[in-house]
Amino acid sequence: MTAPHVTDGPAMPSHEELCEQLWRAAIDCDEIHAVAVVRNAVGGGSSAQVVAAAERTLLRMIAPVQERVGIQWAANAITVAQEHAATAVNERCVSAVADLAAPALAEVPPLGRVTVACVDGEWHALPARLVAEVLRLRGWHVDYLGAQVPTEHLVSYLHRRPADAVLLSSSIPAHLPVAHAAISACQAAGVPVMVGGAAFGPQGRYAHRMRAAWAPDAPGAHALLKQGLGRPTADAARLPDLDLPHLNDQEYTLVRQTARQLVKQTLADVEEAFPPLRSYTEYQRERTAEDIDHIVTYLATSVYVDDADLFTTFITWTADILRSRGVPPRSLLPAVDSLQRQLKDFPRTVGILTEACGALTAGALGPAA
Ligand code: B12
């Protein structure tokens, strides 16, 4: 006679199942269930197991769910309100994971003290918060300052509470000039700087040009911190053109200074070339003006870092966003044409616009254009 098959209750859900459960809870705005899911993912065991599971939950569950929120928003599959709600749920999950792991953190002196902050104007605090929590799990004392920290307040904070390094986060490339100013101000205060987040481009391309250390993620940040970043050199207090000599041509300054006029004229030219705009409601017109304002800001940023890819990526992303919202992406071409005419005396800027125009006509406008 064979023994009956015995199971001890339902099997532990797989990592993929837990991610799916968290996604559902986030999108249903169900904070209680979401916290139960991450509690399940962290589980129990030795202190080392809990700490490792907490890091996995932060980086391989909450972060990908948050990225999925972005993809669904971009595809117009969820609303802005749903995106905000899901982010709030994920923020609560990050806190829950940190609380679950806290008792397991060893009572040993910290590896060092770091400050984590978002650059001025940057609202994307969750990426910085994830970095802060993972560094805590790995033994660092972390002062986490959150979203949009004005540079002068960041520097005065660092004077009052010295840190071995400051870690700056930015998700939106349009904040790169501000990030550059923050990097040199912190270095001038004698504090080594590491940066991260999507704003700094593929492989931290822009970070290196701004003389900041860069890591792709929190484990990478931990590894660099352990190696030591090295104190800033005597020439740390510098004007931006020392790092980016092309700024001497003044194209960035002039595009920034005339931005308001550029937006106004571009809006008028788009209206002329794209008749459907004439019957837009006031609300739709305001959104269009906002889009053109973003186009000019990203153009200026692209000129700042002297990289046409930055603007091309932005304009093709905008084309996708417009298409998923039923607005023909071909409405972007008159805007780019108008800017090319208005800025014809600025060779670097015209080059950037020409490359973007090529990318738009080569396919980004899509079959529905
Ligand atoms: C949530 C969210 C918001 C929330 C943020 C709330 C919050 N508390 O964080 C709100 C509603 C405020 C918001 C606003 C906006 N957002 Co938003 N947002 C997002 C979303 C969906 C998630 C961000 C996130 O948490 N990502 C998850 C983390 C885990 O990923 P991560 O950023 O790569 O971070 C990891 C690494 O980069 C690294 N890292 C990050 N920082 C650092 C720092 C250091 C030192 C190191 C070493 C590493 C490191 O470690 C992190 C963890 O692994 C993203 C989509 C996405 N794919 O990210 C869009 C996204 C970033 N937003 C976008 C946009 C356009 C905006 C707005 C301009 C929208 C608008 N029209 O108003 C505004 C801009 C606000 C501003 N001034 O900053 C776009 C940006 C596109 C672009 N071309 O620039 C995205 C990509 C959405 C999309 N799919 O198109 N947003």
Side-chain angles (χ1 to χ4, degrees), residues 63 66 70 83-84 87 91 121-127 169 196 216 298 317:
Q66 190 63 21
E83 175 273 307
H84 279 40
T87 304
E91 278 172 343
E122 181 60 66
W123 296 354
H124 296 89
L126 194 79
S169 178
Y298 273 81
W317 171 82

Side-chain angles (χ1 to χ4, degrees), residues 42 49-61 97 101 133-135 137-138 218-219:
V42 173
Q49 283 170 326
V50 169
V51 169
E55 180 170 320
R56 250 193 335 268
T57 307
L58 291 172
L59 296 182
R60 292 188 38 217
M61 238 175 106
V97 172
E133 294 305 344
V134 171
L135 290 178
L137 291 172
R138 292 204 174 206

